Amino acid sequence: MNQPTPLMPPRWGAVSQLFHWTCAALVVALGSIGLYMTELTSPVSKIRIYALHKSLGITLLALVLLRLLWRWTHSVPEPVPGLSRPLRLAAGGVHGALYAMMIAMPLTGWLINSTSGYPLQWFKLINLPSIAAKNEHLNGIAKQLHEFGFWFLALLVLGHVAAALYHHVFLQDGTLNRMLPARRHRPGAMP
């Protein structure tokens, strides 16, 4: 078995963990808000909630891009020992799909906003440019992609969570622990 080296840390670092859990919280919040906002009837509430959804979506896009930059410029842990090649490939595929969808969802939302002809602001602080002209046909396509993307992302997240729990409960291989903050033990306490 290979021992971790400075080039291959034994676990994910604090910055990687922060990116992971912040992105996870944003995905859950965005999905919940997205489902909730489609049921709103009050125009004032709808505008407020849609603005929040859009701002959080732009935040997720920025964080995912920063997270990828961080990952490409810093060492990642070696795969858990004993993990079969098919499982490693499956994990890599799901992670790749999660990254792709966390980029695609904000972009399709931005496209919906742009092709609707609405201005886009990030938390009323920054005006963002349109990425396309107002276009009813393209707007319909973007809405379909965004809705399909939501359900696909939801399946990916559920699969990711199920796999993490499977590793933790059944395989007990430390996979989940590597993404959780390290526990500090008091001197003299049992580990």
Side-chain angles (χ1 to χ4, degrees):
M1 176 171 93
N2 293 339
Q3 291 297 317
T5 69
L7 298 177
M8 290 185 298
R11 52 184 294 112
W12 293 97
V15 174
S16 294
Q17 290 177 21
L18 182 63
F19 276 131
H20 177 273
W21 294 109
T22 304
C23 288
L26 280 170
V27 166
V28 170
L30 282 160
S32 301
I33 292 168
L35 291 172
Y36 171 72
M37 70 188 196
T38 60
E39 303 299 320
L40 291 174
T41 54
S42 163
V44 174
S45 295
K46 213 171 198 176
I47 289 170
R48 239 179 348 99
I49 296 298
Y50 270 72
L52 174 64
H53 184 76
K54 293 172 189 181
S55 293
L56 291 175
I58 294 300
T59 303
L60 176 64
L61 178 61
L63 284 176
V64 169
L65 294 175
L66 288 171
R67 182 179 178 185
L68 285 169
L69 180 63
W70 181 264
R71 186 172 174 151
W72 290 329
T73 59
H74 291 77
S75 307
V76 299
E78 183 178 327
V80 173
L83 200 59
S84 70
R85 180 170 164 74
L87 281 180
R88 283 196 318 270
L89 290 173
V94 169
H95 284 115
L98 281 166
Y99 280 115
M101 292 310 298
M102 288 189 295
I103 292 170
M105 290 303 293
L107 288 177
T108 57
W110 196 341
L111 186 59
I112 291 167
N113 194 80
S114 296
T115 56
S116 296
Y118 296 123
L120 182 59
Q121 290 185 327
W122 182 74
F123 292 110
K124 297 182 182 179
L125 298 172
I126 299 171
N127 293 323
L128 299 169
S130 291
I131 57 174
K134 187 173 180 177
N135 181 317
E136 192 174 313
H137 178 70
L138 186 54
N139 182 266
I141 293 170
K143 284 179 179 175
Q144 287 180 337
L145 288 172
H146 199 67
E147 184 177 347
F148 171 77
F150 164 74
W151 293 111
F152 183 58
L153 180 57
L155 284 174
L156 287 171
V157 167
L158 288 174
H160 184 64
V161 169
L165 292 174
Y166 174 76
H167 277 275
H168 189 69
V169 174
F170 296 104
L171 298 180
Q172 297 179 358
D173 60 8
T175 297
L176 179 60
N177 291 334
R178 293 172 3 143
M179 189 49 84
L180 296 173
R183 293 185 184 144
R184 305 249 189 261
H185 295 290
R186 294 185 319 251
M190 297 284 291

